[in-house]
Amino acid sequence: MWALLPFMAMVALVATQLRRDHRIVSRIHRSGVLGPPTRRAGLVFALLIVVPVVFVRYSGLEGILAGISWMAMTVNVVVSFLISYTWYRYLTWLDPFAHEGWGWVLATFLLGCVVVPLVFPLREMAESGLGLRLDGTLWNDWWYCFIAIGLTEEIVKLIPLVAILLFTKQADEPFDLILYGSISALAFAFVENVDYLGGSELFAVGGRTLYASVAHMFFTSIVAYAIAIARHRGRSTVLAGAAALLLAAMAHGFYDLWLMAPDRPYLITLLFLLASMHLWVAMKTNLVNLSPHYQEHMVPKPTMFRYRIINALLAIFLFTYVMKFLLTDRHAAQALLLVQGGTMGATLLYLAVSFSSFRFIPGYIGPLRPKGGLWRMLLPVTNWGEDLTGRELLLRIPEKRSDVRHYMPLHRMLPLRGRLRQRVVLGDDRDWYLFRPERPIPFDGAFGEALLIRPHATNDTIPDDRYVVVVAMVFRHTPMLAAGTARVDELEFAGYVHGKLG
């Protein structure tokens, strides 16, 4: 029972966060038949928790598949495929502007599976040529993990990505490099997962879903990101890719090093992976921001990512739980739940929160290191609130007037309707929006065709059912926002007004 406490904590935390997100989303989304999307996500989450447990407890189908010789391998393949497919679907949620065709995605995945055996001759060359062996000593094992494991596997995983870059024109936007690189990594992980799930009799499902598959995507994304940024800045992609390959191999080797001996603190691997997710989130966000196909009405809504990730990965875990019950017995299925449930729940929540925390800002390349130092990297990435990009905004006269020189021209134009065109970074604050009014504002000596708008600090969003206080800034000159940023010295305070979504 104690082993399930982290899983039970996840349920409680999801319920708490769901309530908060429901309050935000319900105010900016028109409800459908089943209500806001958060309500539907909560219902699916509840069903995923209850239905498998009830099925195992009362179905009476314990071990019904035990006599079918090929069924265990089939389950291993199916679960492995579901892991890779779910993470692929997550990547497509981040790429709404120019979806990749199924043919190229499938070709990349199949090529990634085909080239996996190349790891073995490369590893043998490293072992025989450099005399690398695992002997239990930390320094020696580090070099083995770095070169014989990390470098060889990262080279093999890059083959499909390099093929896409050299022989096709599919990688036409920066994020495509991470997408195709991650698909290759998921193919590699798929082959590995079939083996590990079979060797562990499905008990490795949590680790393969949340750790190994994610780690493979992250390591390959290091190289993909470096090449994408080099292309964007007009620098050598070969040099950038080679340097990033060594970095990815070192990260891969460090990840494996602490798992290679039973007396080593494997918790270091977990902490390293969780900290690495800050970098992966930043890399993915930066490349999406650089998309030449950006359209405001297609910006992803990260709030719902959180529940899609939780529900999709929870479904994989509980499907495996049910299949364990059908392949063996109820006690084995409960053991799987007890052994995997705790770490699965805690890590799933961490990844779901981190992978749903984005601020999409066209043209903006943010720093990879999070604010708050290295210790902050052990906590989830947290950027709460729904993206309002593309929404219509109505401004009206506030209760109190502002005593600034640009307030009266703005005041005389109210009520004023317009649209939030994109997010803008002002200083370190990523919650500003470029507001384009339906008609120009006759400011004296300032740009009248746009404002910079932000919800007041007392509000976490701008709802559509009531007015809240928003901050308005006016541009001194025509704004230049190609990099997604504005400078304080380019702006003047225009006052507080009331705003609500249209």
Side-chain angles (χ1 to χ4, degrees):
M1 183 65 181
W2 292 105
L4 282 178
L5 283 179
F7 187 80
M8 296 165 64
M10 183 202 73
V11 174
L13 289 171
V14 168
T16 301
Q17 185 59 43
L18 181 63
R19 181 179 179 183
R20 182 185 186 279
D21 288 336
H22 177 72
R23 186 180 73 252
I24 295 174
V25 173
S26 62
R27 290 189 303 190
I28 60 179
H29 284 287
R30 299 298 182 185
S31 298
V33 177
L34 296 178
T38 46
R39 182 178 300 171
R40 299 194 294 272
L43 177 61
V44 172
F45 178 77
L47 290 174
L48 286 173
I49 294 292
V50 173
V51 172
V53 175
V54 172
F55 177 83
V56 168
R57 180 66 179 85
Y58 298 106
S59 69
L61 299 177
E62 185 174 27
I64 192 173
L65 302 179
I68 305 176
S69 58
W70 49 266
M71 185 56 68
M73 175 56 73
T74 301
V75 171
N76 297 336
V77 172
V78 169
V79 172
S80 298
F81 177 77
L82 289 176
I83 293 170
S84 293
Y85 179 75
T86 298
W87 284 121
Y88 158 71
R89 289 294 298 156
Y90 165 71
L91 293 168
T92 63
W93 300 338
L94 298 175
D95 186 31
F97 307 125
H99 287 301
E100 301 305 303
W102 265 99
W104 291 109
V105 169
L106 183 59
T108 304
F109 184 82
L110 292 176
L111 179 58
C113 293
V114 169
V115 299
V116 170
L118 293 177
V119 166
F120 302 109
L122 288 176
R123 185 167 297 163
E124 185 177 350
M125 289 171 57
E127 290 174 345
S128 59
L130 300 175
L132 296 173
R133 293 289 186 276
L134 288 171
D135 63 5
T137 61
L138 195 64
W139 182 247
N140 179 81
D141 287 2
W142 154 248
W143 287 105
Y144 184 90
C145 291
F146 166 38
I147 299 175
I149 297 179
L151 188 58
T152 58
E153 292 190 8
E154 294 310 315
I155 289 174
V156 169
K157 287 192 293 176
L158 279 181
I159 293 175
L161 176 60
V162 171
I164 287 289
L165 291 174
L166 293 180
F167 304 115
T168 77
K169 296 182 180 179
Q170 291 304 301
D172 60 346
E173 59 178 343
F175 183 76
D176 289 346
L177 277 82
I178 278 187
L179 176 65
Y180 283 109
S182 295
I183 291 170
S184 175
L186 289 173
F188 193 98
F190 167 77
V191 176
E192 275 193 347
N193 290 345
V194 172
D195 181 53
Y196 277 95
L197 289 175
S200 67
E201 297 182 341
L202 297 178
F203 275 82
V205 62
R208 302 310 301 180
T209 303
L210 296 176
Y211 305 143
S213 297
V214 174
H216 273 303
M217 288 191 289
F218 168 66
F219 301 142
T220 307
S221 293
I222 293 174
V223 186
Y225 180 79
I227 295 174
I229 292 297
R231 289 174 66 178
H232 175 70
R233 293 174 173 170
R235 298 175 182 173
S236 171
T237 56
V238 175
L239 291 178
L245 175 61
L246 291 178
L247 182 60
M250 286 190 286
H252 194 149
F254 186 83
Y255 176 93
D256 282 340
L257 175 64
W258 306 99
L259 303 175
M260 288 298 174
D263 58 337
R264 291 178 190 156
Y266 64 87
L267 181 62
I268 293 178
T269 290
L270 173 59
L271 295 178
F272 173 71
L273 176 64
L274 297 182
S276 300
M277 293 306 96
H278 284 260
L279 302 180
W280 200 37
V281 169
M283 290 190 296
K284 291 179 293 184
T285 306
N286 285 345
L287 296 192
V288 172
N289 289 343
L290 296 178
S291 173
H293 307 296
Y294 176 89
Q295 297 183 53
E296 64 190 43
H297 66 279
M298 297 174 65
V299 171
K301 303 301 181 185
T303 297
M304 292 312 302
F305 284 11
R306 185 153 43 251
Y307 303 103
R308 290 179 182 178
I309 295 170
I310 290 173
N311 288 341
L313 297 181
L314 187 61
I316 293 174
F317 178 61
L318 292 173
F319 170 77
T320 307
Y321 162 71
V322 170
M323 294 310 299
K324 185 67 175 175
F325 165 72
L326 297 175
L327 287 169
T328 52
D329 54 45
R330 184 155 60 94
H331 296 294
Q334 289 174 341
L336 174 68
L337 194 64
L338 288 171
V339 171
Q340 295 286 306
T343 54
M344 176 83 178
T347 308
L348 174 55
L349 184 61
Y350 184 103
L351 295 182
V353 170
S354 295
F355 290 175
S356 61
S357 296
F358 293 96
R359 292 289 185 266
F360 294 108
I361 305 165
Y364 179 66
I365 301 178
L368 297 183
R369 186 174 65 86
K371 293 187 298 182
L374 294 178
W375 288 108
R376 180 65 185 82
M377 297 182 72
L378 298 180
L379 301 176
V381 183
T382 52
N383 292 314
W384 305 121
E386 189 77 353
D387 195 328
L388 306 179
T389 300
R391 297 297 300 271
E392 187 177 65
L393 180 67
L394 180 63
L395 301 180
R396 74 173 188 183
I397 299 172
E399 297 173 357
K400 295 182 179 180
R401 292 167 53 174
S402 300
D403 186 21
V404 292
R405 78 184 188 99
H406 290 301
Y407 179 75
M408 288 311 299
L410 175 60
H411 183 275
R412 285 192 292 267
M413 296 294 290
L414 299 176
L416 184 64
R417 189 180 299 272
R419 193 168 295 276
L420 300 171
R421 293 296 184 181
Q422 67 176 70
R423 280 186 181 272
V424 177
V425 179
L426 181 60
D428 290 330
D429 191 345
R430 305 183 186 187
D431 285 326
W432 291 89
Y433 291 89
L434 181 70
F435 172 73
R436 292 281 187 180
E438 288 183 339
R439 56 191 190 277
I441 305 168
F443 293 121
D444 182 18
F447 185 71
E449 297 183 11
L451 293 172
L452 209 57
I453 293 289
R454 188 196 191 285
H456 190 269
T458 57
N459 302 295
D460 50 14
T461 189
I462 303 175
D464 64 359
D465 59 350
R466 61 186 176 88
Y467 284 91
V468 296
V469 177
V470 299
V471 184
M473 304 284 283
V474 61
F475 293 93
R476 297 177 188 270
H477 309 287
T478 303
M480 303 296 290
L481 303 175
T485 61
R487 299 202 315 264
V488 174
D489 60 1
E490 298 175 330
L491 297 159
E492 290 186 56
F493 179 59
Y496 296 106
V497 293
H498 280 175
K500 78 168 184 176
L501 298 178

